[in-house]
Amino acid sequence: MADVTQRTLALLTILQTGRTFSGEELAARLGVSPRTVRRDVDRLRGYGYPVATRPGPGGHYRLTAGAALPPLMLGNEEAIATLLGLAALAATGSAAEGSLDDAATRAYGKIEQYLPKRLRYQAARLRASLETDTAPAPSATAGVLGSLAEAIQHRQVVGFRYERKDGEVTSRRVEPYRQIHLNLRWYLLAWDRDRRDWRVYRIDRITALRASTDVFTPRPLPSGTAIDYLKEGLHRHRERVVLTVEAPVAAVADAFRYQEAELESLGERRTKVLLWLDTWEWLLPSLAFLDVDFTVDEPPAFRAAVADFGARLRGCG
């Protein structure tokens, strides 16, 4: 019986990759006959797993989505990665009821208690050894994200109330295209029907979301990707800054880890840095910790400001 159980679980692991498999291919992988594969597939169906079969020439087996969620088989690494991902997500936001971080906390506990004994002990040790710093971030709700995903899939126009940065609340009616996760915040890229233009909305500021029966014809995205468009908007009022730093790219990446910087290695100990900043002062902490020579290539105003600051430091010495 143990061999049958082990073989059935191995079959389930193969089918959960989402591919289609012929009976001969499954038999070869499991080292059994096609008849045994058919019996094991029947066992999986009896456990509630929806395995679709296409008989005849070119036939195959495939695990399909079902109405019920039967036990999920995870390998050791997959289970640990899932728990770590949930722990990291749980450390963001306000833990408000219905928020993603609150859902992640609850999901962590549910998955942990159903792990096999050997993995449960490992997960417990991992949890006891892990400290995750709380990363304050606006909480988005799983319900809103799920509803927007559904509207994007079916090209449905949605309406919602939106709180602007200044606190004013307005009603919007948009064609949703993409949800974006950037810097611990969730955004929606959409075509605003009233303003006849592309807009990006913070999802944590969306309330009273409702999908209409109106459908829309997709438009070309305003940029290569939704993330590109969002970054262009975030950088609109910032200065493009280019530096040459006399340090290896790995050291520069570590120094600028809290800033969105593009790095290009110019040799073993020289790196080009491109970033977008509001003011030149944001350069100082990262460059000070590097303790190497550097040149501000552009813009000229930043180069002059840094030079003046350096002169003031020399005067203090």
Side-chain angles (χ1 to χ4, degrees), residues 138-188:
S139 289
T141 66
V144 170
L145 290 169
S147 296
L148 285 173
E150 191 77 14
I152 291 170
Q153 174 69 26
H154 296 292
R155 301 174 182 172
Q156 292 174 286
V157 176
V158 299
F160 52 81
R161 294 182 63 77
Y162 187 71
E163 182 179 351
R164 300 191 337 183
K165 187 176 181 180
D166 59 9
E168 181 184 353
V169 178
T170 60
S171 295
R172 303 295 175 96
R173 184 174 168 81
V174 306
E175 301 171 4
Y177 280 80
R178 295 287 190 278
Q179 297 186 87
I180 310 164
H181 188 240
L182 181 67
N183 298 333
L184 298 181
R185 283 161 175 77
W186 291 91
Y187 300 89
L188 171 67

Side-chain angles (χ1 to χ4, degrees), residues 304 306-317:
V306 171
D308 289 343
F309 183 73
R312 291 199 298 275
L313 289 180
R314 286 192 296 272
C316 294

Side-chain angles (χ1 to χ4, degrees), residues 79-100:
I80 295 303
T82 299
L83 291 174
L84 284 175
L86 290 171
L89 183 57
T92 65
S94 60
E97 184 177 355
S99 65
L100 277 180

Side-chain angles (χ1 to χ4, degrees), residues 198-277:
W198 291 97
R199 291 288 191 273
V200 174
Y201 303 97
R202 282 263 298 271
I203 293 180
D204 59 284
R205 296 177 182 167
I206 290 176
T207 57
L209 176 69
R210 61 200 180 280
S212 73
T213 56
D214 295 342
V215 296
F216 60 88
T217 302
R219 308 168 188 270
L221 291 178
S223 191
T225 67
I227 288 182
D228 289 340
Y229 185 76
L230 173 58
K231 289 181 177 179
E232 289 168 9
L234 294 174
H235 295 161
R236 188 167 298 145
H237 302 294
R238 296 178 181 177
E239 290 276 2
R240 181 178 186 270
V241 184
V242 180
L243 311 171
T244 301
V245 182
E246 305 299 324
V249 67
V252 177
D254 184 57
F256 283 88
R257 60 188 177 278
Y258 296 120
Q259 299 195 48
E260 190 178 320
E262 296 179 19
L263 307 180
E264 178 186 350
S265 177
L266 301 179
E268 188 175 341
R269 300 193 60 81
R270 176 174 290 184
T271 303
K272 180 180 178 180
V273 182
L274 169 64
L275 64 166
W276 298 80
L277 297 175

Side-chain angles (χ1 to χ4, degrees), residues 60-104:
H60 59 253
Y61 296 96
R62 182 169 62 90
L63 189 66
T64 63
L69 180 63
L72 180 65
M73 297 302 302
L74 294 175
N76 292 15
E77 296 84 359
E78 294 168 338
I80 295 303
T82 299
L83 291 174
L84 284 175
L86 290 171
L89 183 57
T92 65
S94 60
E97 184 177 355
S99 65
L100 277 180
D101 41 301
D102 175 57

